[in-house]
Amino acid sequence: MAGAVRARPIRRRLRLEGFPPISTSIAPPDSTASNATASDSAGHPGEAAEPAAAEGTGRRRFLTYLLAAPTLTVAARLGLDAAAPASAQAAVQAAVQAAAAAQDAAAPPQLLGLPGIPDVLDLGDAMILAGLPTSHLLVLEITPAGRAALHLPRLEVGQGLTTAIAMLVAEELDAKLTDVDVPLSDGRPELLFNQLTGGSNSVRSLYDPVRAAAAAARARLVTAAANRWNVPATTLRTADSAVLAPDGRRLGYGELAADAAAVVLPAVPGTPKPADQRRLVGTPTGRIDARDIVTGRAKYAGDLQIPGAAPTVVARPTTINGTLKSLDASVARAMPGVLAVVQIPSGVAVLAETFDQALKACDALRTTWNPGPVADLSTADIQAQLRAAHAPFLLPPLLTPYLDGEFDFAFVNHAPMEVLTAVADVRPGRAELWFAAQSPIIAQQTIAAELGLPQNAVTVHVVRGGGSFGRRLFFDAALEAAQISQAAGRPVKLMWTRNDDMRHGRMRPASHHRIRATYGLGQVLTWEHRAATVRTDLSHGLGEALTGAGFNLSLAGLSLAQAFFLLTEKNPYNVGIPTQLLAELPLAMHTGSWRSVYSGMVRVADEIMMDELARRMGQDEVAFRRARVRGAAGQAVLDTVAKAGDWGRPMPAGHAQGVGYHDENGGRVAYLVELDASDRANPRVTKAVVAADVGQVINPRGLEAQLNGALIDGISVILQAGNHIDNGAVREGSYADFHYARQRHTPPVVEIHLMPPSGAPGGAGELGVPAASAAVANAYARATGTSPRSFPINF
C-alpha cells in the first residue's frame, strides 16, 4: 500500500502452550525479532468457541505475531499440533515408498494396492507441507486510511484469486470488500517454496494463513477500541470496517490502526470465524478488479511506462532450439527508429522507438540458422517413438476377458490472450524486472546467475497476467529481456509475438497411452495404464518444493516428472488392481505444465475406457461409474449431473450425450455434454451440465467461471486444437491455424451445480479439464458410433 510504513517487530517472543515451535532460519524482511501472541480459544469476539476439528482444519491451529507500527501489520503463523509433524512425515514417507514400489517393474502388483498415492498425499498436500515453514510470513496491513492490504505471494492471471483472497480478508475482518486491496508481492526469496502459483493450490494453501492474519488483526482492532473507550472488549462488535460499541459509538479501522499496532496480547480471541457466522464467503461476488479490467485501468506488463524502456522484439530460429549461423543487420540498423540490434542465445533482438518499427526491422534482418536438435522429427516420428517407449503390461490377460485401448494426444500450446511481455532494466551491479511471474523466486535466482549478479541485486516485480494455463510458470521472456538489457546497456520492454510463443514457447507434451482392463463376473479385475510423454519441463521450482516437503527423489529412484505423476494421477474407481506408470521421451523441446498437466490426457483416456468397458459389460455408463467410484461425494456428483442433465433421454440421429468424471486436488467434478455430430467435420457441443464438489467454495461466481473455462478447454483440445511438428518446427503460428474454440463452438446452454460446502477448500483451477474433455470425447463416440483414439479428432 502506498505510503504504508512497515516498522520493525517487537523483540519479545511468546509461545502458547501446546503449540510446537516451527524450526526455520527465515525472518521477516528488515526484522530483528518477533513477538508472538495468540489466544487458545476459538471463535468470533463475544461468541462461543469453535470446535477444534471444524472446517477441516483438524490438526491445524493458529499463532500470529505482531510485526509493525504505526500501521497495523500482522502475519499468519500456521502451526501444527504435537501429532501433526509425525503424521505429515509419515504420509510423505509412505508416498515415497509407494512411488518407489510403483516404479519397480518387478514389484508384485499387490504392493500397489488401494487407495492411490494421491488419496494419501497429493501434490497440493506436498506443496502445503513445503510452504509451512514460511506460511507465517504472509503479511496483512491495516493502514491509517482504513484500507486492508493483503500482500499476495501469488500471481493473478484472470483466475479471480485476488477476489477470493479479498473475500477471506473482508470476512474475517468484518470489513467492506471495497476496503480490501490485494497487491501482488514482489519476488520474496525468504518465502522459499511459498510463492509458486500452480497445482490448483493457491486457495488451498492460503485459506488458513489469510484467515488467521485477518482474525488476528480484528482482535487487535477490537482491543484497541476497548482500551480507548475503557470498556470490556467482549461487549464490542465489528462491522463495515469499524468497531462498534453497544451505545452506538463507532471507530473506523483506520482510526484504530496505530493503537492496534501497539497491542501485544489481544483481549478477545484472534481466531477465524465458525462457518455459521460467515456473511461473505460462499456468496456469489463480482471480481474486485472487474471495472479496472473493462475500463483499461488494470495494468499488465505491456502497459507499464518504465522510463527509457525501448520496445523490443526478437528474430528466432526456423526450427525449435536452432542456433544463429550468420547475421547481416546492416539494413535493419539503418531503418527509422531502430536503436540497437543485439544477439542473445535464443536469437537476435531489435530495439526501436516503437514496436511497429522493431517488427519491421526484425523482418529486415538477414539471418541463416543452424537446425535444432529435433529438426529431423515430425509429428508421426514423435508418435512412433512414444509408442515404443512404453513398459510392457504386468499382467497377461490369459483366459480373462479384457479390453485394450491406445490413445494419442497432440502437443497443445497454452495460447494465453496476453502475449508474453517483460520489462528489464539491467545496470552495473543491479537489475530490476517487471513481468507476470508464477515462479518469481526461481526466476530471480536464474536471472541473477545469468547476469552474474548476487540474487539480492535482482528485483522481480510481479505484474498481473492476461491468462496463463501454466505458461507463466516459465519466465523465458523475462530472462531474454534481462540478457538484452545487459547487452544493450539500457532498459527494454520485450514483447513476444503470437508466432514467437506458438513456435518457440511452451507446449503440453504429446503423449501416447496404452490401457488394458480385465474383467469377469460383472467386476473389473485389473486396470493397467501406461503413459508415454515427451519429457515435461518442470524446472520452475517444483522439484525444490517437493524436496522441501520431505521427498528424497534420489532415494526413491524417481525423476521429478515421475514424482509429479504419482502425486497427481490415480484411478478414482474401484477397478481391481490398478497400475499407472509414466515413461518419458527425452526430446530437446520446449514443454511445460498445461492446465491439469498429466490428468488432461491420463484421465481422458481412462474415462473413454470406462465408457467402452461399461458397454462391453452391458451396463449404463453413468451407473457403471457410480457403482465403482470411491466415496459418497463422487456418487453425489454423478447423481446430480445425471439428473440435471436428463441422462439417457432420446436424442436425434447424430446427436448424443457423454459424461466424464474427475477427482483431484481435494475436489471432484462431473460433466455431461450433448453433442451434435451430424456434420462430423464440424461437431458442436450444444449443452453442458456440470456438478462440482470442491469443499468450501469461497466465491461461487469465480468457481463457475473456472468450470466454464475448463469446458471450453475440453471442447478445444478434444475436437480441434493442437500443434503439428514439421521437421523440427511448429506448424501453427497464430489463432488463425491453432484452432481453439471460438464463440460459435461454445454451447448456448451451460448449467453449473455446486454441491454444499464440505470441509476446507479443494483446488478448482485445473479440476474440470479432464472431465470436460472426456465428456466431449464420449459424446462424440456415442453420436458417431466410432470411438476416437487420436486427439484432437479433427486435426
Side-chain angles (χ1 to χ4, degrees):
M1 187 75 184
V5 178
R6 188 176 301 164
R8 301 182 187 278
I10 299 170
R11 293 182 177 273
R12 291 172 294 150
R13 178 185 293 272
L14 304 177
R15 183 165 67 86
L16 192 64
E17 290 302 319
F19 289 79
I22 296 179
S23 298
T24 176
S25 60
I26 302 300
D30 301 323
S31 70
T32 56
S34 64
N35 177 50
T37 62
S39 172
D40 199 26
S41 61
H44 202 40
E47 299 290 342
E50 180 183 7
E55 284 301 302
T57 57
R59 55 187 169 80
R60 294 173 181 161
R61 298 181 184 175
F62 306 97
L63 291 175
T64 61
Y65 65 91
L66 186 63
L67 285 183
T71 298
L72 173 60
T73 309
V74 296
R77 181 160 192 165
L78 181 60
L80 299 176
D81 65 23
S87 300
Q89 189 60 40
V92 171
Q93 189 63 32
V96 170
Q97 291 173 349
Q103 288 300 307
D104 184 355
Q110 64 267 22
L111 291 182
L112 302 175
L114 288 173
I117 291 171
D119 289 312
V120 179
L121 184 89
D122 67 14
L123 179 67
D125 296 325
M127 293 174 70
I128 292 171
L129 284 170
L132 278 179
T134 61
S135 61
H136 63 289
L137 298 180
L138 184 70
V139 175
L140 169 67
E141 293 179 291
I142 308 296
T143 72
R147 308 293 301 176
L150 190 290
H151 297 264
L152 181 64
R154 297 293 189 278
L155 176 64
E156 171 65 67
V157 286
Q159 78 276 44
L161 178 60
T162 50
T163 299
I165 297 301
M167 292 174 68
L168 290 175
V169 171
E171 182 71 76
E172 296 300 335
L173 273 177
D174 285 327
K176 299 175 185 175
L177 188 60
T178 53
D179 288 342
V180 179
D181 301 311
V182 186
L184 305 183
S185 297
D186 287 349
R188 294 179 57 193
E190 72 274 10
L191 292 178
L192 299 179
F193 316 117
N194 218 352
Q195 201 174 5
L196 180 70
T197 308
S200 296
N201 186 250
S202 291
V203 170
R204 288 182 75 186
S205 61
L206 294 173
Y207 178 68
D208 287 340
V210 168
R211 293 164 64 231
R218 185 193 68 227
R220 286 166 172 79
L221 291 162
V222 170
T223 302
N227 292 341
R228 187 177 296 188
W229 287 329
N230 195 25
V231 299
T234 55
T235 66
L236 306 179
R237 63 186 183 91
T238 50
D240 294 333
S241 305
V243 180
L244 308 176
D247 59 9
R249 285 180 292 178
R250 179 186 185 278
L251 282 170
Y253 287 166
E255 300 173 83
L256 292 167
D259 289 353
V263 173
V264 175
L265 186 63
V268 292
T271 48
K273 294 180 182 179
D276 60 3
Q277 292 183 21
R278 293 175 181 162
R279 59 176 181 82
L280 183 57
V281 166
T283 302
T285 303
R287 291 182 55 144
I288 61 173
D289 53 1
R291 183 178 294 275
D292 286 349
I293 291 172
V294 300
T295 59
R297 292 181 59 190
K299 300 299 182 186
Y300 301 84
D303 299 317
L304 301 179
Q305 300 299 317
I306 306 302
T312 303
V313 295
V314 173
R316 302 182 186 279
T318 52
T319 57
I320 296 169
N321 285 326
T323 55
L324 185 66
K325 184 175 182 180
S326 67
L327 169 66
D328 179 356
S330 56
V331 173
R333 285 193 172 99
M335 293 179 69
V338 173
L339 302 173
V341 176
V342 299
Q343 186 177 341
I344 58 173
S346 54
V348 181
V350 178
L351 292 69
E353 294 175 359
T354 68
F355 276 113
D356 180 64
Q357 293 169 334
L359 288 165
K360 289 177 178 176
C362 193
D363 290 340
L365 292 171
R366 297 169 183 170
T367 56
T368 57
W369 302 91
N370 296 309
V374 294
D376 58 340
L377 297 179
S378 295
T379 296
D381 306 310
I382 295 170
Q383 289 176 338
Q385 290 190 30
L386 288 169
R387 291 189 182 99
H390 288 291
F393 289 129
L394 294 177
L395 299 174
L398 299 177
L399 301 178
T400 306
Y402 68 97
L403 177 68
D404 280 358
E406 295 197 29
F407 305 89
D408 284 300
F409 293 85
F411 291 97
V412 177
N413 198 273
H414 296 82
M417 187 65 71
E418 181 206 9
V419 294
L420 301 182
T421 307
V423 182
D425 183 2
V426 179
R427 306 291 176 91
R430 69 163 182 84
E432 196 169 6
L433 296 101
W434 296 259
F435 62 102
Q438 287 183 251
S439 53
I441 297 174
I442 194 72
Q444 182 190 41
Q445 294 169 342
T446 305
I447 292 169
E450 172 65 25
L451 299 177
L453 295 173
Q455 183 177 344
N456 61 8
V458 177
T459 301
V460 171
H461 301 290
V462 179
V463 184
R464 71 164 56 236
S468 175
F469 319 109
R471 178 63 182 92
R472 300 179 200 278
L473 280 163
F474 289 89
F475 42 90
D476 319 52
L479 179 59
E480 285 186 343
Q483 294 167 334
I484 296 165
S485 179
Q486 185 178 54
R490 63 173 299 156
V492 301
K493 180 188 290 186
L494 173 65
M495 179 182 70
W496 282 38
T497 65
R498 180 67 60 195
N499 270 261
D500 288 342
D501 200 31
M502 285 280 183
R503 292 179 169 150
H504 298 279
R506 305 281 170 169
M507 297 180 291
R508 182 182 78 175
S511 69
H512 182 264
H513 301 254
R514 287 180 180 166
I515 302 176
R516 171 172 291 168
T518 64
Y519 59 96
L521 301 176
Q523 300 297 322
V524 182
L525 305 176
T526 65
W527 189 284
E528 296 187 74
H529 190 139
R530 300 290 179 267
T533 78
V534 174
R535 179 173 292 166
T536 305
D537 189 344
L538 296 170
S539 60
H540 42 56
L542 179 64
E544 292 87 345
L546 291 180
T547 301
F551 285 84
N552 191 326
L553 303 184
S554 61
L555 290 180
L558 300 175
S559 70
L560 176 56
Q562 288 166 337
F564 189 108
F565 183 86
L566 289 164
L567 286 171
T568 57
E569 302 313 302
K570 65 176 181 180
N571 193 312
Y573 305 107
N574 291 317
V575 286
I577 302 172
T579 66
Q580 295 187 122
L581 296 179
L582 172 68
E584 298 178 88
L585 184 62
L587 298 181
M589 303 180 72
H590 302 297
T591 61
S593 301
W594 192 92
R595 192 177 186 188
S596 83
V597 199
Y598 296 110
S599 297
M601 301 169 287
V602 170
R603 288 289 299 120
V604 175
D606 281 342
E607 287 293 296
I608 295 172
M609 288 288 288
M610 285 293 288
D611 253 35
E612 295 183 12
L613 196 57
R615 291 192 287 270
R616 175 76 66 90
M617 297 173 68
Q619 299 182 36
D620 173 83
E621 293 91 333
V622 172
F624 185 74
R625 286 175 171 82
R626 192 188 186 285
R628 290 164 177 81
V629 70
R630 291 196 295 273
Q635 292 178 337
V637 163
L638 286 166
D639 290 345
T640 299
V641 81
K643 181 178 179 180
D646 195 11
W647 170 257
R649 75 181 182 87
M651 303 285 288
H655 296 242
Q657 296 175 313
V659 70
Y661 173 83
H662 184 53
D663 171 351
E664 189 175 5
N665 297 315
R668 54 210 54 83
V669 66
Y671 281 72
L672 186 158
V673 305
E674 297 184 359
L675 182 136
D676 176 2
S678 51
D679 177 2
R680 291 197 184 188
N682 296 287
R684 183 184 179 187
V685 174
T686 57
K687 181 179 180 180
V689 180
V690 188
D693 180 349
V694 296
Q696 174 63 61
V697 178
I698 310 304
N699 184 8
R701 190 169 294 171
L703 175 56
E704 290 167 0
Q706 291 275 28
L707 296 170
N708 208 346
L711 172 64
I712 305 308
D713 285 339
I715 290 171
S716 300
V717 299
I718 292 300
L719 296 181
Q720 60 203 43
N723 294 110
H724 295 81
I725 306 300
D726 297 329
N727 298 316
V730 177
R731 181 188 305 176
E732 288 73 20
S734 72
Y735 287 128
D737 46 18
F738 178 69
H739 298 297
Y740 215 75
R742 306 299 204 270
Q743 188 166 355
R744 67 179 182 273
H745 302 123
T746 62
V749 178
V750 177
E751 297 178 15
I752 297 177
H753 302 266
L754 304 181
M755 308 303 284
S758 57
E766 300 167 285
L767 176 67
V769 175
S773 302
V776 175
N778 286 333
Y780 183 91
R782 298 177 84 233
T784 63
T786 59
S787 187
R789 287 292 186 265
S790 184
F791 302 98
I793 293 169
N794 292 322
F795 196 25

